[in-house]
Amino acid sequence: MSWTGHFHGYGPWIGPPDAYHREGDRRPPHPDPPAPPASEDDKTALRIVQRYREVTAEFPVSTLPPMMPGHWLMKRTRASAERTWTDPVAALDWLTKHSLDHPPMEREDGRPAYAGLEAQRGYALTVLPVGVDVSWVYYNRSGNLVSLNMVCCPNLHHPELICPLT
């Protein structure tokens, strides 16, 4: 497989697990909006339209990581030239730095709770050059979730999404 592009770094997002687990807040609005309510009495249709409007307004500006890493490209204000690389090693160094700055939790029995950093780096160095996104999400020592993402642009899984820096 051949891929040519660059990488955008997103994160670190550090927050409570309950916020991260609200999947509805982490999904972009559906491309087809809901039909308008047939009447003002249709409370279900009114709630659906209201929720769609909320998601349409909130998703692009929210700091909450999306369900799919490629959807970060839809959050145009979250991209930065300072966190954009053409070299996968430089992109991986950014991920590594933030992972070391916000280390994962340690199990009480001393066994590893997550794959080691070298294994994560090895995997990332294999997949980033062919255009596969990398997402590191883990619990830190205080019990919060940490999310670090490296998103390939153009994105193989979301080819319709344009670069947020253009």
Side-chain angles (χ1 to χ4, degrees):
M1 175 161 57
S2 176
W3 176 84
T4 303
H6 57 272
F7 312 98
H8 296 287
Y10 294 95
W13 179 87
I14 302 169
D18 62 324
Y20 189 85
H21 295 299
R22 284 194 308 267
E23 292 183 7
D25 293 341
R26 298 178 53 215
R27 296 181 188 276
H30 193 276
D32 300 323
S39 74
E40 291 296 320
D41 296 331
D42 189 349
K43 302 297 183 204
T44 300
L46 288 169
R47 274 196 312 275
I48 290 170
V49 167
Q50 179 58 33
R51 177 64 181 145
Y52 185 82
R53 288 179 182 150
E54 289 170 4
V55 170
T56 300
E58 293 170 9
F59 181 83
V61 296
S62 169
T63 62
L64 196 60
M67 292 291 294
M68 299 177 81
H71 285 159
W72 273 113
L73 299 176
M74 299 172 79
K75 297 177 178 252
R76 301 185 69 72
T77 61
R78 298 288 166 217
S80 165
E82 292 79 34
R83 292 186 322 271
T84 301
W85 303 269
T86 55
D87 176 13
V89 174
L92 182 56
D93 287 346
W94 179 87
L95 279 171
T96 302
K97 176 202 177 305
H98 286 288
S99 181
L100 292 170
D101 287 348
H102 308 282
M105 64 169 271
E106 297 172 358
R107 289 175 36 154
E108 291 178 16
D109 62 8
R111 295 175 52 203
Y114 299 98
L117 187 56
E118 287 311 307
Q120 289 178 300
R121 285 181 55 85
Y123 173 78
L125 278 175
T126 301
V127 300
L128 283 172
V130 295
V132 177
D133 301 332
V134 171
S135 182
W136 293 353
V137 179
Y138 54 88
Y139 286 93
N140 68 8
R141 293 173 181 166
S142 68
N144 283 320
L145 274 169
V146 176
S147 175
L148 299 163
N149 292 267
M150 194 57 59
V151 178
C152 299
C153 189
N155 196 273
L156 294 177
H157 301 290
H158 306 283
E160 74 285 359
L161 297 179
I162 61 170
C163 180
L165 295 181
T166 57

